Amino acid sequence: MKKIVAIILVIILLFGGLISTGVLNFSKKPEENITSNSTEEVKVEEPQFKKEGELTFTKNQQKLTIEIADNDQETTQGLMYRRSMPDSCGMLFIFPDNQPRNFWMKNTYLPLDILFLDESKKVVTIQANRTPFSEEQIPSYENAKYVLEVNAGYCKRKGIEKGNSVKW
């Protein structure tokens, strides 16, 4: 009797050990990914910049080549996963309405200046030198219909200020 109890305990311990190590995992559906403790970084292909227009700051005639985000997919993607962008380029987000906006820097490698523009294309807020990968909300503080993202320090280098207007 003692041998049978001992064998049953060993079987229970082995079975429990297999479940805890994940060898026997009955809770996972076959299509679910199994996570590992690997230190491998998930590779995401860097999106390429697409020239879709040109924007000019009217006060000092500074020009930017712009990529436009004007739908949900492009707006969600933004500049995420890009590791570089020429200083002469930026991304312009176009929204259907003029309201307070919040952006973030999730999965964004580049430090950015984020300019919020109202429906008349006037800069209402500049959020300079935003920290890469931050999920902190970056507010417009005022109504904005357009948002322009450029490399960090661009506004300071080019003399761009609140109240400046743009055209495209």
Side-chain angles (χ1 to χ4, degrees):
M1 183 70 174
K2 287 183 181 180
K3 285 184 181 182
I4 292 173
V5 171
I7 291 172
I8 290 173
L9 285 174
V10 168
I11 290 171
I12 291 172
L13 289 173
L14 285 173
F15 189 71
L18 291 174
I19 289 174
S20 68
T21 60
V23 172
L24 295 177
N25 192 345
F26 298 112
S27 66
K28 283 219 183 269
K29 295 177 186 169
E31 66 272 7
E32 288 181 332
N33 292 333
I34 297 174
T35 59
S36 69
N37 292 331
S38 169
T39 57
E40 282 184 41
E41 186 178 317
V42 175
K43 301 288 184 193
V44 176
E45 189 172 325
E46 181 177 355
Q48 297 301 306
F49 191 85
K50 296 178 290 193
K51 179 180 180 177
E52 296 179 316
E54 189 172 272
L55 176 146
T56 305
F57 288 92
T58 56
K59 181 179 177 185
N60 59 10
Q61 297 303 302
Q62 291 295 314
K63 294 186 185 304
L64 280 175
T65 299
I66 55 171
E67 183 172 340
I68 298 172
D70 59 0
N71 63 47
D72 288 342
Q73 180 184 357
E74 293 170 342
T75 300
T76 300
Q77 176 72 36
L79 291 174
M80 289 195 310
Y81 305 110
R82 299 191 191 198
R83 295 183 183 268
S84 65
M85 181 172 63
D87 206 42
S88 60
C89 296
M91 179 168 276
L92 179 67
F93 296 81
I94 301 174
F95 294 96
D97 54 2
N98 194 40
Q99 66 179 22
R101 305 259 173 233
N102 284 295
F103 269 49
W104 65 357
M105 298 288 290
K106 182 177 180 178
N107 298 321
T108 305
Y109 289 84
L110 305 170
L112 298 172
D113 285 356
I114 302 175
L115 295 82
F116 295 91
L117 299 94
D118 66 14
E119 58 197 356
S120 67
K121 302 179 185 172
K122 181 181 79 175
V123 177
V124 294
T125 304
I126 298 175
Q127 292 278 10
N129 297 308
R130 301 314 300 191
T131 305
F133 298 105
S134 173
E135 292 187 29
E136 172 192 359
Q137 294 292 305
I138 303 167
S140 64
Y141 297 116
E142 296 184 40
N143 288 340
K145 181 173 173 123
Y146 310 100
V147 179
L148 178 63
E149 293 181 338
V150 294
N151 286 319
Y154 180 87
C155 293
K156 187 173 184 178
R157 288 189 301 278
K158 303 295 184 178
I160 308 301
E161 300 173 333
K162 181 177 177 177
N164 291 167
S165 293
V166 299
K167 64 181 179 179
W168 60 82

